Amino acid sequence: MAMDHLEIPLSRPDIGPAEEEAVLSALRSGRLSMGPWVERFETAVAGRAGRHHAVAVNSGTGGLDLVLRALGIGPGDEVITTPFSFIASANCILYSGATPVFVDICPKSLNMDPEKMERAITRKTRAIVAVETFGNPEWMDAYESIAARHEVALIEDCCEALGTTHKGRPCGSFGRAGVFGFYPNKQITTGEGGMIVTDDHRLAELCRSMRNQGRALGWRPGESVQPSGAGGAPTGSWLHHERLGFNFRMAEINAALGVAQMSRLDEIVKKRRAVAEAYLERLGTNADLILPTLSPESRMSWFVFVVRLATTYTREERDRVVASLRRHDLGAGDYFPCIHLQPFYRERFGFREGMFPIAESVSQRTIALPFYNTLDRRDIEIVSQTLELMIKRENLKRG
Ligand SMILES: *Cc1c(COP(=O)(O)O)cnc(C)c1O
């Protein structure tokens, strides 16, 4: 997901005067960590996700890692997830020492097939990490019922879905906990950053402690030192560590950027919807392309705009189309190669081609097109015309 410097890049953050002002204010305050901006940002995201608690962290990946650890998931446990996603949604399972169990996807939503998910549950299953692929929230409520029926934890990897609703419910509100990500290609950015959201007070406090070197539950900056415990540093002090923790804290500058972005979220989402609709209208009649399909019950905030070539096209043809778009100074990506076919997953777990046929078939024909708030009609026309021309060229080569 590297940012490129093309004429029309794949993605571009929307940063304006509100963001500059907030970041400068954080910078000038002299308090660069554990201050009011992080708390303000947590309140804003919790509100948007309809949750009681939010814990800011320094990446979406770190947020997923903390949630799995806080739920006590570890070696011997199985965690169900999708093979068609960004690598972090499966890697978080490996960090905890648990075993990832992949479930094939539905060809329409590109999310895990609920029936296959239910069949994959065993006595060892402890959790499901469910992703809104490319921001599509379909089946989240179905996963919630399955998780409840089998008493396993649903963790929503909503890193691609801030601002999306499904059946009137905001993403981040499904399951035990949700995790957002704020890398620069997401709907809003903090540069780097993530946010855990949950209604579970104990889980939120555990995540807070673990992001902050395992300091005592309920520890807050500047808290007075309480009487000493059995040994070591006094309970509640800066150097008292109750559990294995990490440094996953978000800095104030990043949180200030996040607060300004959150205040503009509605405007940002509106622009993204308009760009997506313009693409859908422009490319909708092209028989060589399969466009994103939405359930009428979903209101998407649009993470990326990914089309795929019809089933008659090969991976080589797709790769050539992506490469030629880039040669024409247009951003294009092959989101996502299947996780189970990544070298270290093959080596460690023996995954092979053919194990998740729908994910594999979709994955070799996807093309992510340039997608960001300020993309205008002219840009969309340039991208669409070039894409159509490159597809035509592949057809001519076949003779
Ligand atoms: C972006 C993303 C993440 C988190 O990424 P970070 O770069 O660590 O913030 C996790 N899962 C998915 C599905 C993502 O798209």
Side-chain angles (χ1 to χ4, degrees):
M1 288 195 199
M3 300 281 114
D4 27 48
H5 299 280
L6 304 172
E7 187 199 339
I8 304 181
L10 201 47
S11 75
R12 175 180 279 165
D14 181 353
I15 305 293
E19 284 78 3
E20 289 176 9
E21 197 180 309
V23 170
L24 263 180
S25 158
L27 198 55
R28 285 173 178 154
S29 75
R31 193 161 167 189
L32 297 182
S33 185
M34 290 184 284
W37 286 103
V38 166
E39 281 183 30
R40 242 179 272 171
F41 186 39
E42 288 175 341
T43 305
V45 177
R48 191 69 190 208
R51 291 292 207 174
H52 293 306
H53 309 284
V55 182
V57 286
N58 54 18
S59 74
T61 307
L64 289 165
D65 185 13
L66 282 194
V67 168
L68 266 80
R69 288 176 194 270
L71 289 171
I73 288 162
D77 296 334
E78 290 178 357
V79 179
I80 289 174
T81 195
T82 171
F84 186 68
S85 178
F86 181 56
I87 191 86
S89 53
N91 277 355
C92 63
I93 301 166
L94 269 51
Y95 304 149
S96 75
T99 306
V101 173
F102 291 112
V103 164
D104 210 354
I105 58 173
C106 297
K108 267 180 79 179
S109 63
L110 309 184
N111 291 336
M112 280 182 280
D113 182 325
E115 280 177 24
K116 290 177 184 161
M117 173 190 284
E118 191 148 23
R119 283 203 297 274
I121 294 177
T122 71
R123 282 195 346 269
K124 291 181 178 172
T125 308
R126 292 282 315 279
I128 298 163
V129 175
V131 181
E132 282 102 350
T133 311
F134 305 142
N136 188 329
E138 196 161 3
W139 304 122
M140 279 298 146
D141 53 328
Y143 302 156
E144 203 172 40
S145 313
I146 292 170
R149 208 155 45 236
H150 296 272
E151 296 183 19
V152 302
L154 176 65
I155 299 159
E156 193 185 345
D157 176 348
C158 41
C159 284
E160 303 180 357
L162 180 70
T164 284
T165 61
H166 184 58
K167 300 187 179 174
R169 285 175 60 189
C171 285
S173 73
F174 299 89
R176 272 292 282 284
V179 178
F180 292 107
F182 308 118
Y183 185 73
N185 69 342
K186 312 282 184 184
Q187 284 87 340
I188 71 157
T189 186
T190 58
E192 297 282 358
M195 186 79 74
I196 298 160
V197 292
T198 182
D199 289 329
D200 182 334
H201 175 73
R202 168 92 190 163
L203 182 66
E205 284 302 304
L206 266 176
C207 290
R208 261 180 221 291
S209 168
M210 282 163 49
R211 86 170 159 184
N212 189 20
Q213 308 284 16
R215 294 191 168 96
L217 295 185
W219 184 92
R220 294 289 183 273
E223 186 172 271
S224 63
V225 174
Q226 287 150 21
S228 180
T235 314
S237 82
W238 177 246
L239 295 177
H240 177 79
H241 307 279
E242 298 201 331
R243 58 185 55 75
L244 176 64
F246 307 85
N247 180 357
F248 285 168
R249 296 185 304 258
M250 176 180 279
E252 285 285 282
I253 292 172
N254 302 74
L257 181 50
V259 168
Q261 291 261 280
M262 280 304 286
S263 72
R264 294 181 48 227
L265 183 62
D266 288 329
E267 171 206 333
I268 288 171
V269 167
K270 206 172 149 197
K271 287 181 183 164
R272 295 178 89 81
R273 284 188 182 138
V275 174
E277 273 155 28
Y279 263 133
L280 288 170
E281 196 186 305
R282 173 62 180 77
L283 294 171
T285 51
N286 189 319
D288 293 313
L289 290 174
I290 301 167
L291 297 192
T293 32
L294 294 194
S295 141
E297 291 163 307
S298 302
R299 286 280 287 159
M300 264 174 63
S301 62
W302 293 93
F303 165 51
V304 282
F305 196 84
V306 177
V307 298
R308 61 187 198 270
L309 295 173
T311 48
T312 48
Y313 288 87
T314 64
R315 171 192 293 276
E316 290 67 34
E317 287 169 326
R318 188 279 307 268
D319 290 347
R320 278 199 297 267
V321 172
V322 167
S324 6
L325 285 167
R326 289 197 185 135
R327 268 199 304 278
H328 282 80
D329 227 9
L330 306 174
D334 55 348
Y335 294 178
F336 284 109
C338 285
I339 296 177
H340 68 285
L341 299 178
Q342 296 286 353
F344 69 103
Y345 278 83
R346 284 179 190 257
E347 261 165 51
R348 199 148 143 201
F349 301 101
F351 291 123
R352 292 166 273 107
E353 270 92 358
M355 288 182 136
F356 306 100
I358 300 175
E360 290 167 23
S361 161
V362 166
S363 154
Q364 58 192 9
R365 288 177 290 110
T366 50
I367 304 172
L369 299 178
F371 187 75
Y372 45 90
N373 293 353
T374 50
L375 203 67
D376 62 23
R377 289 266 166 186
R378 189 197 65 113
D379 299 330
I380 291 171
E381 191 51 40
I382 292 171
V383 171
S384 304
Q385 273 187 29
T386 315
L387 174 66
E388 288 179 335
L389 203 65
M390 296 308 130
I391 297 173
K392 225 172 254 166
R393 202 173 64 172
E394 290 305 321
N395 280 321
L396 285 174
K397 273 191 201 165
R398 288 171 171 183

